Amino acid sequence: MATNSHLGSLAASFHALHEGTAPLVLVNVWDVASARLVEEAGAAALATSSSALSWSLGFPDGNHMPRELAMAALRRIAASTALPVTADIEAGYAHVGGGFDDGELRETVRAVLAAGAVGVNFEDSAEQPLTDVDEQARRIAVVRRAAEEEGVDLFINARTDTYLSGRFAETAFTETLGRAEAYLAAGANGIFVPGVQDLHVLHDLAQRIAAPLNALAGLGAPSVGELHDAGVRRISIGGNTAKAAYAAVSRVAEDVLGDGNWSELAGARSHQAMDDLFGGS
């Protein structure tokens, strides 16, 4: 377990990454191998993907994975790197018996910090169409207080699915701004709005939200440079890393089981290169 002073230093570094001249770009990971590969490629920080982690453990995305499994994976990832790590905690793993338990949410925050992470993504899509804005703001305040009690300036990236849910149509922009204001007042540090690729919308959101704006990117999305010019301060690709990796597995399997050849293995890392990720010799 990392000491509070060490976590404090990592947290300060992670906050600072949102204030640089270039946006923070996160290639989301789900295990130690993916984390090591992303770090090797030059990442400044690591971020988990709840969807990728869920799939790797046999669960569908969307608050189905047990907290204990998520935290076990997070501990291994954070222990494998000196980089700041932020965890996707979905809706906080705090829904118990059809209700929401603040104590369970506090336990999630403590578990995240004990694992060595210094940031969280916390989403408002646990209820339908979305969690009530005042209730979600109250939950964010619970997260903030729990982190303060542990003496760590946790970076809370408040995710709102106003666009991704498709439930707000022409009111999505106004709804997003209202939720962003409430979430920031409750203690959030950044606002994550997945489902938006229109640069004009992103620019207007970035101008109107008084915190770093996080956009979800992937195939067909604007480039990092274009997103930067629109004012986006944080760019992540979520489960797209895992989707690409699992697509490669599918292609290999179809090749070997279908035509019986090995062409899809071209470009694979050597056994030694993989071992070297973990200090092998």
Side-chain angles (χ1 to χ4, degrees):
M1 177 178 174
T3 64
N4 278 8
S5 61
H6 179 59
L7 284 178
S9 177
L10 285 174
S13 296
F14 190 59
H15 278 265
L17 288 172
H18 296 78
E19 302 167 0
T21 56
L24 171 61
V25 180
L26 298 169
V27 178
N28 300 75
V29 304
W30 64 95
D31 61 9
V32 174
S34 59
R36 285 289 181 87
L37 289 167
V38 170
E39 181 173 2
E40 181 184 71
L46 297 176
T48 64
S49 160
S50 63
S51 60
L53 186 53
S54 294
W55 299 328
S56 75
L57 296 172
F59 297 92
D61 186 26
N63 299 292
H64 297 286
M65 175 174 50
R67 177 175 62 206
E68 293 73 18
L69 293 180
M71 294 301 106
L74 180 62
R75 283 193 299 272
R76 295 182 68 85
I77 290 169
S80 75
T81 183
L83 297 177
V85 177
T86 183
D88 184 345
I89 61 169
E90 303 187 82
Y93 310 116
H95 288 80
V96 180
F100 189 87
D101 190 309
D102 286 2
E104 291 298 317
L105 181 56
R106 288 191 290 270
E107 181 57 34
T108 295
V109 175
R110 288 191 290 266
V112 165
L113 295 173
V118 293
V120 292
N121 270 6
F122 184 46
E123 64 190 44
D124 62 7
S125 55
E127 286 83 26
Q128 296 297 327
L130 295 183
T131 303
D132 174 78
V133 60
D134 292 333
E135 171 60 14
Q136 184 66 9
R138 190 193 66 77
R139 295 176 188 180
I140 289 170
V142 171
V143 174
R144 173 56 62 208
R145 286 194 299 272
E148 288 175 346
E149 289 169 2
E150 299 298 315
V152 179
D153 186 13
L154 183 73
F155 192 102
I156 302 173
N157 199 39
R159 169 176 152 174
T160 180
D161 282 1
T162 45
Y163 282 90
L164 194 62
S165 68
R167 300 296 183 91
F168 294 92
E170 68 276 3
T171 65
F173 185 82
T174 302
E175 182 72 21
T176 301
L177 292 180
R179 286 177 176 266
E181 182 177 7
Y183 297 169
L184 293 173
N189 302 102
I191 301 296
F192 181 23
V193 189
V196 183
Q197 294 189 353
D198 187 305
L199 289 171
H200 296 292
V201 174
L202 288 168
H203 177 268
D204 289 345
L205 287 172
Q207 290 293 309
R208 300 280 295 276
I209 293 173
L213 177 65
N214 184 177
L216 180 66
L219 193 64
S223 68
V224 169
E226 290 172 324
L227 291 169
H228 176 216
D229 290 344
V232 174
R233 302 302 308 145
R234 174 167 162 167
I235 302 164
S236 49
I237 64 172
N240 287 317
T241 324
K243 291 174 188 176
Y246 291 139
V249 173
S250 181
R251 289 193 299 270
V252 169
E254 290 173 355
D255 194 30
V256 173
L257 297 173
D259 296 335
N261 69 76
W262 329 114
S263 61
E264 288 294 338
L265 294 174
R269 291 174 68 100
S270 70
H271 194 95
Q272 186 62 56
M274 288 303 301
D275 275 351
D276 287 345
L277 288 173
F278 313 104
S281 59

